[in-house]
Amino acid sequence: MSTVIAMQPKLEIVASAAPPAETQAPAAATTTPEPVAAPVANSRLFAYSRAFLRFLIPPLLGLALFIGIWAIVSQSSPQLPGPVKTWESAVTLFSHPFYRNGPNDQGIGWNILNSLGRVGIGFGMAALIGIPMGFLVGRFKFLNDMTAPIISLLRPVSPLAWLPIGLLVFKAANPAAIWVIFISSIWPMIINTAVGVTRVPEDYMNVAKVLKLSEWKIFSKILFPAVLPYMLTGIRLSIGVAWLVIVAAEMLTGGVGIGFWVWDEWNNLNVAHIIIAIFVVGIVGLLLEQVLITIAKRFSYE
Amino acid sequence: MEKYVQIENVNMVFDTQKGPFVALQNVNLNVAQGEFITLIGHSGCGKSTLLNLVAGLLKTDNGVLLCAGREIAGPGPDRGVVFQNHSLLPWLTCFENVHLAVERVFGAKEDKAQLKQRTLDALALVGLTHAEHKRPQEISGGMKQRVGIARALAMEPKVLLMDEPFGALDALTRAHLQDELMKIAANTHSTVIMVTHDVDEAVLLSDRIVMLTNGPSATIGEILTVDLPRPRERLALAENPHYHHLRGQVLEFLYHRQLRPAA
């Protein structure tokens, strides 16, 4: 997940490095003995397309290198399907994403939607409990001191360690998977929200004190907007964790879902589908992250 | 003399890791209604501490602080504060920032139209009607500080407390806002206590200049009455020998008697 964040500044640098291209453009213009106006327009178009290419080339080159290595590796190991074979397999797979042949054989679309549904429920409940809890923990030192040892004890626990507890309590696979999502995605939201509350600038709280605002006004006009960027960071981390964990949880619990699908295809020895699943998980995770980054940008005030 | 704001035998001690730190010792000051007071002194002398005590943002167990005959028990909208760094809420427009204060003070008695009118009046008073829908990050530093002043004035406070309100502004903007503040204070008959480190600002604006000695254990060293007639005019004062005499007295206090050892 963090690679996406790290990538963006790099892209900006690439984009901002482009303008020098314009200084080279007149040299290109002198080679054509046209009237003055046309080469200027031409060279500008030239500069823009160069900037665009400079923006696109590095990531494309990276992808090409990745696929190249993959192709070479697949040559020497016959069990691993190469890029072409995987692509063909993916085209067949995605041409019927929503078929249903009984409970254990459903289209890739259903598998993705089922996984997203579990993540949505588990993550939603975690947000519903974690965010208000974060506000309380951040606002009242007593609560913070009370919960700090529990949070620091439970947070580093591997999410899958919670699965047996879930199975024991809910006596069913699906709620147990949701429970694992819930418990592993709640911590970043509690912690980030609480940190956000403690970082609300003293000046804003002084305004609240001078105006003697009610607790509700303090919350709605000062605390909530001030904490929102921190909260959204927590949500982003949480959803990353949730999406990371769902594949592993579903491998263990079964049912319909992308994680179970991976396991099923492993049992069928259909490696191309496993590789496709890896890409699908990556792309869906990337999209979730991008959506939240877009939301976060909308709510940053500095 | 009328005692509108009373400060009697006030000490302020902070508990620090190195033990108690005496910021203010034995401060006595009375401010009359409609008076413009500036607090001046070297940095670290506790002038902001004194202002925050009157605002109620700080509390002390030693001494008595009264405003309009009532003990200052905590912060409240009867003492409007203009903060050093404007402290506008960045997610609210200029209108909403002022309206938040107006709603809090007059919301119980007045209807929505009246509250809106009060907000607009306050923005008009500082000449910012055109910026009512702008967010703080879209306007200049001087404009932000004017919204801060509008917010404080809109509450119709008994006392206006200003903590180096123009400290972060450039010289020209500062001069412009000083002139505006003089007009506003005259029109609204406000009682103002203002912290500054600018000698010219102090002499230009004040009825009295309260000069604090260096901390720790700072106290009031001298109070200078500025008997220049109002309305005062910046350019005319530049050639006024009495203005220069008063200015000289403040400088004499700050740089001769209270000169800090080189830090």
Side-chain angles (χ1 to χ4, degrees), chain A residues 42-220:
Chain A
N42 263 342
S43 69
R44 187 164 293 169
L45 198 72
F46 186 61
Y48 278 139
S49 57
R50 272 187 73 135
F52 186 65
L53 282 180
R54 282 198 188 193
F55 177 79
L56 265 183
I57 283 173
L60 285 179
L61 209 64
L63 275 175
L65 191 72
F66 173 76
I67 291 171
I69 291 172
W70 174 17
I72 292 166
V73 170
S74 69
Q75 287 291 316
S76 55
S77 124
Q79 288 106 328
L80 187 72
V84 178
K85 210 180 150 204
T86 309
W87 175 255
E88 282 164 0
S89 180
V91 170
T92 341
L93 189 68
F94 279 100
S95 51
H96 300 287
F98 290 106
Y99 74 86
R100 277 186 206 261
N101 291 336
N104 278 338
D105 186 10
Q106 300 194 8
I108 180 87
W110 289 121
N111 282 300
I112 296 172
L113 285 181
N114 268 286
S115 293
L116 278 175
R118 284 192 195 100
V119 165
I121 295 170
F123 166 81
M125 288 198 305
L128 232 54
I129 295 173
I131 290 169
M133 215 173 127
F135 271 104
L136 291 174
V137 167
R139 186 107 170 90
F140 303 106
K141 199 184 173 306
F142 182 82
L143 275 178
N144 183 39
D145 296 347
M146 210 169 87
T147 50
I150 307 171
I151 291 175
S152 33
L153 181 79
L154 297 185
R155 193 171 58 101
V157 173
S158 166
L160 290 185
W162 295 101
L163 189 62
I165 307 278
L167 288 168
L168 188 80
V169 172
F170 300 109
K171 307 220 179 339
N174 200 36
I178 291 170
W179 152 255
V180 171
I181 298 299
F182 168 82
I183 199 76
S184 54
S185 61
I186 196 168
W187 312 116
M189 285 193 276
I190 297 180
I191 294 165
N192 277 281
T193 308
V195 166
V197 173
T198 57
R199 298 251 175 97
V200 173
E202 187 71 28
D203 294 335
Y204 299 164
M205 296 317 283
N206 277 341
V207 171
K209 282 183 200 159
V210 168
L211 296 184
K212 272 194 176 167
L213 296 175
S214 62
E215 273 292 322
W216 168 246
K217 278 271 173 192
I218 292 177
F219 176 78
S220 62

Side-chain angles (χ1 to χ4, degrees), chain A residues 26-47:
Chain A
T30 51
T31 56
T32 48
E34 291 281 313
V36 186
V40 165
N42 263 342
S43 69
R44 187 164 293 169
L45 198 72
F46 186 61

Side-chain angles (χ1 to χ4, degrees), chain A residues 274-297:
Chain A
I274 295 176
I275 295 173
I276 293 166
I278 289 171
F279 278 108
V280 165
V281 169
I283 289 166
V284 172
L286 197 79
L287 289 178
L288 287 176
E289 172 117 359
Q290 282 304 318
V291 167
L292 282 163
I293 286 176
T294 313
I295 296 173
K297 268 195 192 139

Side-chain angles (χ1 to χ4, degrees), chain A residues 300-302, chain B residues 86 88-94 97 134-140 144:
Chain A
S300 75
Y301 294 95
E302 299 313 322
Chain B
H86 67 79
L88 299 178
L89 301 174
W91 39 84
L92 300 182
T93 61
C94 296
N97 263 294
K134 292 222 167 98
R135 291 245 167 87
Q137 64 269 34
E138 296 169 327
I139 59 178
S140 68
K144 281 180 211 166

Side-chain angles (χ1 to χ4, degrees), chain B residues 70-82:
Chain B
R70 295 175 116 198
E71 186 165 13
I72 295 170
D78 58 328
R79 282 149 289 131
V81 181
V82 178

